[in-house]
Amino acid sequence: MANYEQELLDFMKETAYKPMTYQELEKHFGIEGAVEFKEFLKLLNKLEDEGKIIRTPNDHYGVPERMNLLRGKLQSHAKGFGFLIPDEKDHGDVYLHANDLKSAMNGDIILVRVTSRSEHGGRMEGEVVRIVERAVTQIVGTFEDHEVYAFVVPDDKRINRDIFIPKGGYQGAVSGQKVVVKIVSYPEGRSAAEGEIVEILGHKNDPGVDILSIIRKHQLPEGFPDEVMAEAEAAPDSITDEEIVQQGRRDLRGEVIVTIDGEDAKDLDDAVHVKRLENGNYLLGVHIADVGYYVTENSELDQEAYRRGCSVYLVDRVIPMLPHRLSNGICSLNPKVDRLTLSCEMEFDAETLKRVRHDVFTSVIRTKERMTYTNVKKVLTATEEEPQTELKERYADLLDMFGLMEDLAMRLRSKRMKRGSIDFDFQESKVIVDENGKAIDIIKRERSVAEQIIEEFMLVANETVAEHFHWLRVPFLYRIHEDPSQEKLLNFVQFAANFGYAVKGKGNSIHPKALQTLLEDIRGTKEATVISTVMLRSMKQAKYDAESLGHFGLAAEFYSHFTSPIRRYPDLVIHRVIREVLNGGGQLTEARHEALTARMPDIAQHSSERERVAVDAERDTEQLKKCEYMLDKVGEEFEGIISSVTSFGMFIELDNSVEGLIRLSDMSDDYYNFHEQHMILVGERTSKIYRIGDEVKIRVTRVSMTEHTIDFELVDMKPRSGKGIPSSFGGERGGKKRGGFGDRAGSVDRGRGGKERGGSSEGGRGGKGDGAGAGGRGRGGASEGNRGGRGGAAGQGGAGESKRGGKGRGGKGGGRGYGGGEDRSVVGIVEQANPWRIDAPDSGRGGKRRGRGDGEAGAGVNDGGNSPAGRGPGQEADMPPGQGREQSRGSGSGSRTDMWGLPIRGGGGPGGNGRGGAAGKRRSEGSGEAARRKNTSPSGVFNGERSADAVSAEGSDAPVKSKRKKKNGGGGNATAAFVRKNRK
């Protein structure tokens, strides 16, 4: 019956197909007999449960894409919104507003209805129709006891609702402990998710609990199941001559072969040798542990390796893909013992370095030495002052080969650079921990000539194997890196042009060689860091695929992962394919070919997902330990460089690779505006400019072990001048500092941030609720307020959407996120100083607090962009005053569009019940007049002169002649659009 599945799906995807009942489908496929009919119904139910087909209310079946629905995975953001990553590779991601997610959580498989598209169909908005499969079943967080009930605050900030724990389900947990919670019921509407505690990890400050929490958060496995360990224990300790002869392996035990790895490496899965042939050509041999010989397909070991996907290298431990019995034993290419391998030998022309011959075969080797990067580097870089006599004597018989290795590797690298391979030379670091897991030092990882030798040899072997098996037309797994989006590349080219660099290209395409040429041009210059960083963020993330689509970053047409089967499952999979092809005389049987072809896409997707989890976990532990290392450095001063510039501040990277944030609110010597295109902050009064790559002197002010964030401040920062400006400006509000760390712009991971997801950069958290940044890809720059259950501060809406006006967002007594429940009647101060001040009055909030109080629907829209007067902490400015995207509100003239050029639903006409007028598709529950401004130009800028006593309140018909702020929807955002003609 399984054969029907793909046939059924293909049939339903046909253009001529119209939804059929199960009786019609039964007739079409010629189902006969009760048993076959029963199996067919089971298949229909299975596909419906998986969301691959849909059953309509009148019992007709069809595929989602033909019903304006998309199936895919939810990738949610800490600010509440999310994106659908469709199953269809060619389909773009779909933005999902926080209110359209229903109860879906990060990682869930969902069905989404696309509700709107941009003019050219590039950007889409949608809403969740159905949750097909839950991804999150357990959550790690901090337990908070409130006597009658309790909450668990999730460590994963993408889960922005706390988990309710009813009385009696505490299992002995007390406040401050890290716990694992099993979700019993998922959030619905305003109801929180409910859970039960299944494991208490310990108090959050206990040694080891921090790393354990991250392991549980990412659901990383620790120990191996008994049946897996039993298979591992059954593996032999040595190789017999009978095995070698029986398998027909090529005997390379007489060759001079070595491994070169780090000092602490125990799983040695690659070995190399180089020699000159009689014709003068180079012969390079790359020999990889034949793990597939011991881990057979569908065995317990294989299934466990598939689930894990890869080994995970945390700061203080390794979570291996295979048990140590294999990874450190029979599969590890330990010195002076026989080991089974898969080899790739390549012959390179001595003059052109063109590969003239290659061979892939099974082999047996015996390595001569277990070399380390450090010793190889010392031998190759020995000088008269440091002759390294002892090492040279020890490895005397290997010195010529090491010299040949260096010569070949550097020539291979030069050739790779010439063809356009991009080489980012970013400094890496390693956190050193003591026996208790406490961070005691951070050291830089050196990329010496020894590392480069192995890097080049592995790259050329991976390319050779990928090309060889591509032309054999057998099912395979490739490592691909897709071309960057034209939009992101264009933005980068414009950015580089600001520094006087021209990136050459044809039409809208740019060859990676042009980017590598640029990297070489800027090497050693002050702007090298800034341009390299922005270039990296403009690219997509590499992943696995069943099709060979090329590798943009390496400028390689064919590329695969062949060299690390001990720690990467895709390598193990292709090793099996290689051995089958070799044993089958260069081809597979037809049945085997079909079976592998069907399975490869799933393996590729799963492996890419597991790799992403591993990278996230490694990054989390590294950031955690860097924060721990900086805990006792608060108050100390350091030199650093600006690594990123955002609308809410600057990230500074210290020499030890620690990164911290200087908030815009703490830069007290001037008022700084963020220029997205140039990625700079510019002072209004002093015209001082801060850009990526600038050197600054900072002081550590705060380290949060809860948020894993570090705050800096500039040394010798003088206060702003201006009458009536409080000296406490830039301090803490609502119990915590404003803003926080958000996702930085344009990471390589699927273009999050940047221009593709989430605007130029994402704002961070403020107080107990998230004072979130502009949504970017959200509805016209709508700011997302998170954590409704804990008083989330809904940031002021930008050019698209105003957050709830009539009823606030805070669940427990209103927001302690920035500005919630405060008396901010500081209009006089704003007038005398700067209307872009963060403490300008609120507008359009529907009441002074963010509780559940009813009030008028606040206008909440500023024609000149979302000013700091209306932004939550860490939220982005959409654009400077006077450059608004929309006509004056309430004019009713023409259709309005959001930041994507999409028509705003429910727009047009003044007033209404919160769905028309000022904010398109506003989710305000109160009714009242929408905002209207008098005496405004189309850009929203006042034509008349203004004074301190003439501040127009949003939602009113005339200027208010009082400095006092109105209680309902007082006029903060309006001040941002004023022209400061008379201010001196």
Side-chain angles (χ1 to χ4, degrees), residues 27 65 91 116 177 208 211 248 288 353 382 430 453 552 586 599 624 695 775 790 797 799 843 867 911 935 955-956 981:
K27 185 177 179 181
E65 51 265 42
H91 201 288
S116 60
Q177 284 187 326
I211 299 290
I288 309 300
L353 220 63
K430 181 179 180 182
I453 287 172
F552 180 83
R599 193 170 176 226
L624 166 74
E695 296 179 1
R790 296 189 55 77
S843 91
S867 74
N935 303 326
S956 64
K981 293 180 180 178

Side-chain angles (χ1 to χ4, degrees), residues 275-517:
K275 61 182 179 181
R276 283 272 193 183
L277 299 176
E278 292 181 1
N279 59 8
N281 290 349
Y282 296 95
L283 179 71
L284 167 63
V286 176
H287 315 282
I288 309 300
D290 192 357
V291 180
Y293 178 76
Y294 300 100
V295 182
T296 56
E297 189 172 14
N298 292 325
S299 64
E300 295 293 341
L301 274 168
D302 180 50
Q303 292 178 47
E304 182 67 16
Y306 172 78
R307 281 191 290 270
R308 296 184 176 221
C310 59
S311 298
V312 185
Y313 295 84
L314 305 180
V315 169
D316 64 342
R317 72 195 76 183
V318 176
I319 299 177
M321 184 180 80
L322 296 171
H324 291 303
R325 164 85 178 171
L326 292 174
S327 62
N328 297 357
I330 191 67
C331 293
S332 184
L333 306 183
N334 298 327
K336 298 179 174 60
V337 292
D338 294 350
R339 288 292 183 259
L340 302 181
T341 50
L342 278 180
S343 296
C344 176
E345 281 191 350
M346 297 152 280
E347 181 182 339
F348 297 96
D349 183 86
E351 297 297 325
T352 63
L353 220 63
K354 180 181 178 182
R355 192 181 68 228
V356 295
R357 179 183 65 84
H358 72 272
D359 194 10
V360 181
F361 54 91
T362 58
S363 58
V364 58
I365 67 169
R366 182 183 296 157
T367 59
K368 300 297 182 187
E369 287 288 348
R370 186 249 194 265
M371 300 297 300
T372 65
Y373 291 130
T374 303
N375 285 344
V376 172
K377 173 202 164 190
K378 286 179 178 178
V379 167
L380 291 175
T381 59
T383 60
E384 291 183 5
E385 292 78 16
E386 297 180 12
Q388 306 295 343
T389 307
E390 185 180 338
L391 276 178
K392 285 187 175 182
E393 289 176 356
R394 180 179 171 185
Y395 302 121
D397 55 338
L398 300 175
L399 292 181
D400 290 341
M401 187 174 74
F402 289 149
L404 205 56
M405 282 183 176
E406 181 182 18
D407 180 39
L408 175 60
M410 293 305 105
R411 290 188 63 187
L412 285 172
R413 185 178 188 280
S414 176
K415 184 181 178 184
R416 183 166 62 85
M417 294 298 108
K418 284 180 181 177
R419 81 182 184 201
S421 181
I422 302 171
D423 186 31
F424 292 104
D425 194 16
F426 290 115
Q427 186 70 53
E428 293 185 1
S429 62
K430 181 179 180 182
V431 181
I432 307 298
V433 296
D434 62 15
E435 62 275 5
N436 296 319
K438 188 177 187 301
I440 55 175
D441 196 9
I442 300 174
I443 59 173
K444 288 185 176 180
R445 282 180 175 166
E446 186 181 10
R447 188 185 178 203
S448 69
V449 62
E451 279 91 348
Q452 289 183 9
I453 287 172
I454 293 302
E455 181 181 310
E456 295 304 324
F457 290 173
M458 298 304 116
L459 284 173
V460 73
N462 284 334
E463 288 184 46
T464 301
V465 169
E467 182 176 3
H468 180 92
F469 288 91
H470 170 78
W471 293 118
L472 287 179
R473 306 296 184 193
V474 295
F476 216 64
L477 285 181
Y478 299 93
R479 182 71 170 176
I480 68 166
H481 185 212
E482 297 168 289
D483 293 357
S485 67
Q486 291 184 2
E487 181 185 13
K488 285 198 168 188
L489 266 186
L490 180 61
N491 288 336
F492 169 71
V493 169
Q494 291 173 344
F495 177 77
N498 296 328
F499 295 88
Y501 294 99
V503 182
K504 298 177 182 178
K506 283 187 177 181
N508 290 327
S509 64
I510 294 175
H511 193 275
K513 186 173 183 179
L515 300 178
Q516 178 58 30
T517 301

Side-chain angles (χ1 to χ4, degrees), residues 45-84:
N45 291 333
K46 169 180 170 286
L47 293 175
E48 186 184 355
D49 290 342
E50 293 173 353
K52 293 180 179 178
I53 64 174
I54 300 293
R55 185 172 60 173
T56 65
N58 57 356
D59 292 329
H60 285 65
Y61 290 90
V63 286
E65 51 265 42
R66 296 292 305 278
M67 300 183 178
N68 197 31
L69 297 176
L70 279 174
R71 183 182 185 275
K73 179 173 287 190
L74 172 63
Q75 189 174 81
S76 60
H77 193 277
K79 296 188 193 68
F81 62 87
F83 290 90
L84 173 78

Side-chain angles (χ1 to χ4, degrees), residues 575-850:
H575 272 222
R576 290 203 192 103
V577 174
I578 290 170
R579 198 180 323 99
E580 281 190 52
V581 170
L582 294 175
N583 294 338
Q587 59 186 6
L588 299 170
T589 64
E590 188 174 341
R592 183 62 173 158
H593 194 287
E594 284 185 15
L596 285 173
T597 301
R599 193 170 176 226
M600 286 301 179
D602 292 336
I603 295 176
Q605 182 177 345
H606 177 77
S607 299
S608 297
E609 290 169 358
R610 294 308 303 168
E611 179 189 41
R612 190 73 244 148
V613 170
V615 169
D616 288 345
E618 290 164 8
R619 189 176 293 153
D620 282 355
T621 54
E622 188 174 285
Q623 180 63 22
L624 166 74
K625 289 303 177 183
K626 284 181 177 179
C627 288
E628 185 178 70
Y629 176 73
M630 296 299 289
L631 265 177
D632 59 356
K633 310 289 190 299
V634 174
E636 294 185 23
E637 296 178 0
F638 297 89
E639 298 283 344
I641 63 167
I642 300 175
S643 58
S644 183
V645 178
T646 72
S647 61
F648 54 87
M650 310 183 292
F651 287 91
I652 312 298
E653 184 176 331
L654 307 185
D655 189 51
N656 60 9
S657 80
V658 169
E659 200 169 46
L661 173 67
I662 297 178
R663 304 170 191 275
L664 208 59
S665 56
D666 291 332
M667 298 172 67
S668 56
D669 65 334
D670 202 347
Y671 305 100
Y672 289 90
N673 292 318
F674 175 57
H675 292 252
E676 181 182 349
Q677 183 178 352
H678 305 287
M679 288 192 71
I680 57 175
L681 291 174
V682 182
E684 289 189 5
R685 179 175 55 82
T686 61
S687 296
K688 186 184 291 185
I689 296 176
Y690 290 100
R691 70 173 80 238
I692 302 177
D694 286 353
E695 296 179 1
V696 292
K697 190 172 185 180
I698 61 93
R699 182 182 298 111
V700 182
T701 58
R702 176 177 173 265
V703 177
S704 170
M705 293 305 295
T706 304
E707 303 293 333
H708 301 169
T709 58
I710 304 170
D711 284 357
F712 295 154
E713 66 179 7
L714 289 169
V715 175
D716 300 328
M717 177 63 71
K718 296 178 181 178
R720 297 181 178 92
S721 60
K723 185 178 177 182
I725 301 172
S727 60
S728 62
F729 176 76
E732 299 195 2
R733 306 184 66 91
K736 288 193 179 183
K737 282 199 173 187
R738 293 201 296 283
F741 283 78
D743 287 351
R744 289 165 49 197
S747 70
V748 186
D749 179 15
R750 299 194 63 93
R752 288 178 64 185
K755 280 285 184 183
E756 192 167 291
R757 286 216 190 137
S760 64
S761 60
E762 306 294 353
R765 304 167 50 125
K768 276 287 187 185
D770 292 73
R777 255 187 96 164
R779 305 169 190 255
S783 65
E784 306 289 345
N786 284 329
R787 287 265 257 269
R790 296 189 55 77
Q796 181 63 31
E801 182 170 338
S802 164
K803 301 309 288 183
R804 298 175 186 262
K807 294 190 177 182
R809 182 109 167 134
K812 292 168 64 181
R816 273 192 50 143
Y818 184 72
E822 293 187 37
D823 181 9
R824 297 169 65 196
S825 52
V826 288
V827 180
I829 296 173
V830 174
E831 294 302 329
Q832 294 169 19
N834 185 345
W836 278 74
R837 279 287 301 269
I838 198 78
D839 36 13
D842 285 342
S843 91
R845 291 267 166 73
K848 194 162 71 172
R849 296 182 62 84
R850 282 202 192 95

Side-chain angles (χ1 to χ4, degrees), residues 221-257:
E222 288 186 279
F224 288 90
D226 292 341
E227 57 271 20
V228 174
M229 292 303 297
E231 281 192 7
E233 290 299 325
D237 291 319
S238 59
I239 298 164
T240 63
D241 289 334
E242 289 78 16
E243 277 183 290
I244 299 168
V245 174
Q246 183 181 357
Q247 296 174 52
R249 291 179 179 266
R250 194 176 302 180
D251 193 341
L252 300 179
R253 287 175 289 185
E255 298 286 350
V256 180
I257 300 173

